[in-house]
Amino acid sequence: MRQSPSPGIVVLISGSGTNLQALIDAVANGDIHGEIRGVISNRPEVAGLERARRAGIPARVINHQDFSDRDTFDQALMAAIDQHQPDLVVLAGFMRVLTPAFVGHHEGRLINIHPSLLPDFRGLHTHERALEAGVQLHGCSIHFVNTELDGGPVILQASVPVLPDDTPQTLAARVQQQEHRAYPRVIQWFCQGRLTLRNGQVWLDEKPLQAPLQFSDPITLADSAC
Ligand code: GRF
């Protein structure tokens, strides 16, 4: 019997690529049953590109500064992604706002990780803003992307405590540890065909999510055994 091919993934990055590394490692360990077919960065010479190349994954730069506007950049990005014919496009620290045309083209197969407990602190500088606001819990959210910035339906969140002597850097490091555990889990659900977006709602295992899953929920903990 022919085995069905692994779902194809393209990862978009802009920087150090620690989340990309977590995905590369999870594929190598068999925790993600998918194939990272390509990595694309909008910034040249970032560390994430080297991580991809070290793993033997085709990596290329599409520099947004080479384009006169957002639409033409997004068209070029779309064409580069389509060459890999991916089932899923993963934003892993990709720091560009995407046009509705791009989002529409990848609807239901475009996932982002954001470093806050959405809907709190959409946008940039989330760790600074969490400290300024004096929240006791902070974290990350993994969500399907829609046309609203950081506003797409949330799949999974992981929380961390905010400690009295935290700086933006210490808090970011604590959140990132959770990102690296949570993101591969969600990508595996997608690759297993368990996770879908239907009419703007997240479905997992043929049930609509009534609220974002939390990383400590039984379903996510149960999965960590496999
Ligand atoms: C992560 O904190 C992610 O949540 C945010 O950008 C950061 C990317 O870090 N969107 P890295 O490039 O994966 O190390």
Side-chain angles (χ1 to χ4, degrees), residues 15-20 92-95 112-115 127 176 179-180:
S16 63
T18 61
N19 278 286
L20 167 66
F94 184 69
M95 304 301 286
N112 183 40
I113 188 160
H114 180 75
H127 309 303
Q176 277 222 329
E179 294 185 11
H180 301 158

Side-chain angles (χ1 to χ4, degrees), residues 83-104:
Q83 283 179 359
H84 297 288
Q85 300 192 314
D87 300 281
L88 176 65
V89 178
V90 174
L91 306 180
F94 184 69
M95 304 301 286
R96 297 293 300 168
V97 173
L98 295 163
T99 56
F102 183 98
V103 173

Side-chain angles (χ1 to χ4, degrees), residues 41-205:
S41 171
N42 68 305
R43 292 212 183 105
E45 292 167 30
V46 293
L49 287 164
E50 191 45 41
R51 293 177 191 276
R53 292 184 186 123
R54 235 184 292 137
I57 299 167
R60 67 179 280 197
V61 176
I62 301 184
N63 188 340
H64 62 278
Q65 292 181 327
D66 294 341
F67 296 84
S68 54
D69 57 43
R70 219 177 265 288
D71 284 322
T72 49
F73 169 69
D74 274 14
Q75 291 297 332
L77 191 57
M78 249 189 270
I81 293 169
D82 283 350
Q83 283 179 359
H84 297 288
Q85 300 192 314
D87 300 281
L88 176 65
V89 178
V90 174
L91 306 180
F94 184 69
M95 304 301 286
R96 297 293 300 168
V97 173
L98 295 163
T99 56
F102 183 98
V103 173
H105 184 68
H106 300 285
E107 199 186 352
R109 51 191 186 100
L110 183 60
I111 293 181
N112 183 40
I113 188 160
H114 180 75
S116 78
L117 298 174
L118 291 170
D120 291 346
F121 311 121
R122 292 180 184 185
L124 297 173
H125 310 301
T126 57
H127 309 303
E128 287 89 335
R129 288 160 60 207
L131 289 175
E132 274 164 26
V135 295
Q136 295 188 340
L137 271 187
H138 186 46
C140 63
S141 305
I142 298 162
H143 64 96
F144 279 107
V145 176
N146 65 12
T147 51
E148 211 181 320
L149 183 66
D150 300 324
V154 178
I155 304 158
L156 175 66
Q157 295 182 315
S159 305
V160 300
V162 179
L163 303 181
D165 56 352
D166 263 333
T167 63
Q169 290 72 29
T170 58
L171 185 54
R174 194 172 310 120
V175 170
Q176 277 222 329
Q177 279 186 346
Q178 296 303 310
E179 294 185 11
H180 301 158
R181 297 172 62 207
Y183 216 1
R185 192 67 46 80
V186 170
I187 303 310
Q188 168 67 341
W189 291 340
F190 190 95
C191 289
Q192 290 171 314
R194 296 169 58 188
L195 177 67
T196 50
L197 182 70
R198 301 182 197 170
N199 298 321
Q201 188 161 30
V202 179
W203 285 62
L204 184 68
D205 294 336

